[in-house]
Amino acid sequence: MTVNAENITPTRTHVLIFPFPAQGHMIPLFDFTHRLALRGGAALKITVLVTPKNLPFLSPLLSAGLDIEALTLPFPSHPSIPSGVENVQDLPPSGFPTMIHALGGLHAPLLSWIASHPFPPVAIVSDFFLGWTQHLGIPRVEFSPSAAVTCCILDTLWIEMPTIGDDDEIFEFTKIPNSWKYPWSQISSIYLSYVHGDPAWEFVRDSFRDNAACWGLVVNTFSDMESVYLEHLKKEMGHDRIWAVGPVLPVSEGNRGGRTSVPVDHVMSWLDARADNHVVYVCFGSQAVLTKEQTLALASALEKSGVHFVWAVKEPFEEDSTRGNILDGFEDRVAGRGLVIRGWAPQVAVLQHRAVGAFLTHCGWNSVVEAVVAGVLMLTWPMRADQYTDATLVVDELKVGVRACEGPDTVPDPDELARVFVDSVTGKQTERIRAMKLREAALDAIQERGSSVRDIDGFIEHLVSLGLKK
Ligand SMILES: O=c1ccn([C@@H]2O[C@H](COP(=O)(O)OP(=O)(O)O[C@H]3O[C@H](CO)[C@@H](O)[C@H](O)[C@H]3O)[C@@H](O)[C@H]2O)c(=O)[nH]1
């Protein structure tokens, strides 16, 4: 354990933060922690729990000159996780439930850390995949890196446990505002994989159920974007301790979520040479890797379209004959109008560049929120998890995006996709005008008296009053 208890005094409120080790989860919780430390100032002392291999991701936060320390606990070994792996980025997408189960092994070490601490934390803020942290004897605040509507959907699924139907059969969430409905194939992949009676899965199920009973909930959203779902959560949870604190953004660009595989300056000067809103950015988050057929179809669409683009291409986490990068000769053919980034891209900087007008996205919630802040038109291609929900929100409710493709294995038609690209940078879409309006609302929320800043301050007040009660 590397926490230093000496500079924690009883006059300050001590909070423990526990991120789930996946890029799409750690990034927003670290950004939120940064905001919390800045707003909380001298009132708060923050400890962040990571396992050793994830410590480097925390480094930018630890060196930000704020009162944030690391608590490093050994990764609990698990029969289905290879030794040395401590982050979902080194597992296939199906590795999420295994990681949830494995981290349950930190329950006993955490209890003993809390019990032996001279000034133990008054509350724990933990990712929504860590519902079991509800049972540590201190109030638990769930952190949702996903949308408020996703929290509504997950709570409904795991509490009501509806029977899974055929892939095409439609399931309707009748209690959730706007009665969301989907074919079963588009519903939370973790829920669909649940195996009744399997002890590891029962742990995962109970952990999700714990979310509905948490003391508080922090969501990376803002009230103008999702007020009906935030109100629904308050009603369902039976209290008002639900704080919409987004968009949580990096305080500084740095190497957020990983070291960028190209110098940020190089990408920025490439974009500087392009006209406003004329570049399409293509990226599918930190997990998804396209199949070879999908990669070829997308490359062909970009080539046919003639648009300027930046494409962040991911390699599979291990040797995989069906997936991966097969772009031989492609970069020469699109030289001068296409920039291919192999590996980790500086996504937020790219999205915020004036030249970028459209974003082909898998609709991971962080990407959606980052695109909203950038006022960029979204071209949606949801693949799994909450991404279908996010795409529906973006296209049908907020109307700031258009559909491009959907499904983890669907191979898009290159001609159709090329048309979507061309329209996205040449058409006068009403979606782009709405995207600019939503951007203003997002920026308003994080201004000094904006709704999300008020929610962060309200959250801090609750934490401090928890400390006073002790
Ligand atoms: O080359 C890259 C790729 C990603 N990112 C960042 O990594 C994050 C990716 O998050 P997200 O867009 O949400 O995608 P995933 O990594 O796929 O996120 C997982 O977690 C999200 C939050 O729960 C879910 O919404 C997604 O469906 C789930 O796949 C974002 O902040 C991106 O800016 C980069 O900076 N560079």
Side-chain angles (χ1 to χ4, degrees), residues 63 83 114 144 146 189 216 286 356 383 401:
S63 52
S83 153
I114 293 170
S144 171
S146 289
S189 15
S286 66
V356 175
M383 298 181 182

Side-chain angles (χ1 to χ4, degrees), residues 16 18 47 61 94 107 118 142 223 284 316 391 395 407 417 457 470:
L16 179 63
F18 187 178
T47 301
L61 202 51
S94 57
H107 187 242
E142 170 191 353
S223 89
F284 303 103
V395 176
L417 190 55
D457 288 349
K470 285 200 95 134

Side-chain angles (χ1 to χ4, degrees), residues 79-313:
S80 305
I81 297 187
S83 153
V85 170
E86 299 185 8
N87 191 301
V88 181
Q89 73 178 358
D90 301 317
L91 294 171
S94 57
F96 274 89
T98 315
M99 183 60 82
I100 295 174
H101 185 228
L103 290 172
L106 289 177
H107 187 242
L110 251 181
L111 270 181
S112 78
W113 177 78
I114 293 170
S116 62
H117 200 289
F119 308 110
V122 298
I124 178 167
V125 181
S126 58
D127 188 274
F128 71 2
F129 281 169
L130 299 167
W132 59 265
T133 53
Q134 181 90 345
H135 307 287
L136 290 168
I138 53 175
R140 178 208 173 214
V141 179
E142 170 191 353
F143 176 81
S144 171
S146 289
V149 63
T150 294
C151 297
C152 301
I153 287 175
L154 288 176
D155 287 354
T156 307
L157 284 175
W158 289 101
I159 287 169
E160 297 182 3
M161 304 280 309
T163 311
I164 299 167
D166 293 339
D167 274 6
D168 295 336
E169 194 184 310
I170 305 290
F171 180 72
E172 187 167 353
F173 293 85
T174 48
K175 279 201 228 144
I176 301 176
N178 301 325
S179 292
W180 289 61
K181 38 179 155 258
Y182 299 101
W184 274 103
S185 59
Q186 298 185 358
I187 280 172
S188 157
S189 15
I190 298 192
Y191 181 73
L192 294 181
S193 323
Y194 168 73
V195 182
H196 179 74
D198 176 306
W201 273 107
E202 304 289 280
F203 177 86
V204 171
R205 178 201 62 195
D206 292 348
S207 193
F208 274 109
R209 286 183 166 184
D210 282 331
N211 282 340
C214 63
W215 178 84
L217 169 63
V218 166
V219 193
N220 182 18
T221 190
F222 57 100
S223 89
D224 265 8
M225 185 156 69
E226 283 205 284
S227 62
V228 284
Y229 307 112
L230 291 161
E231 287 311 311
H232 178 75
L233 285 166
K234 286 180 186 167
K235 198 171 82 203
E236 287 296 304
M237 293 170 90
H239 59 76
D240 280 348
R241 292 182 301 276
I242 292 164
W243 298 280
V245 299
V248 296
L249 284 176
V251 174
S252 68
E253 252 307 303
N255 282 313
R256 180 173 179 256
R259 186 174 291 279
T260 57
S261 55
V262 280
V264 181
D265 289 352
H266 170 67
V267 184
M268 292 300 110
S269 28
W270 191 91
L271 287 169
D272 286 346
R274 261 96 213 152
D276 286 7
N277 290 329
H278 267 63
V279 174
V280 178
Y281 171 58
V282 179
C283 182
F284 303 103
S286 66
Q287 297 280 141
V289 180
L290 298 187
T291 63
K292 293 190 168 166
E293 289 74 20
Q294 289 172 323
T295 307
L296 277 181
L298 176 49
S300 163
L302 286 167
E303 215 173 323
K304 286 175 184 222
S305 71
V307 299
H308 289 243
F309 65 88
V310 175
W311 181 5
V313 180

Side-chain angles (χ1 to χ4, degrees), residues 22-25 27-28 31 96 127-129 144-147 150 253 256-258 260-261 281 283-288 312-314 341 343-348 351 359 361-370 384-388 390:
Q23 269 24 31
H25 293 239
I27 288 173
D31 287 346
F96 274 89
D127 188 274
F128 71 2
F129 281 169
S144 171
S146 289
T150 294
E253 252 307 303
R256 180 173 179 256
T260 57
S261 55
Y281 171 58
C283 182
F284 303 103
S286 66
Q287 297 280 141
V313 180
K314 295 276 165 311
I341 300 176
W344 199 250
Q347 176 158 310
V348 170
L351 283 173
F359 177 18
T361 171
H362 71 317
C363 299
W365 186 243
N366 299 289
S367 291
V368 169
V369 169
E370 290 157 11
R384 53 177 64 80
D386 54 350
Q387 296 154 17
Y388 294 98
D390 298 345

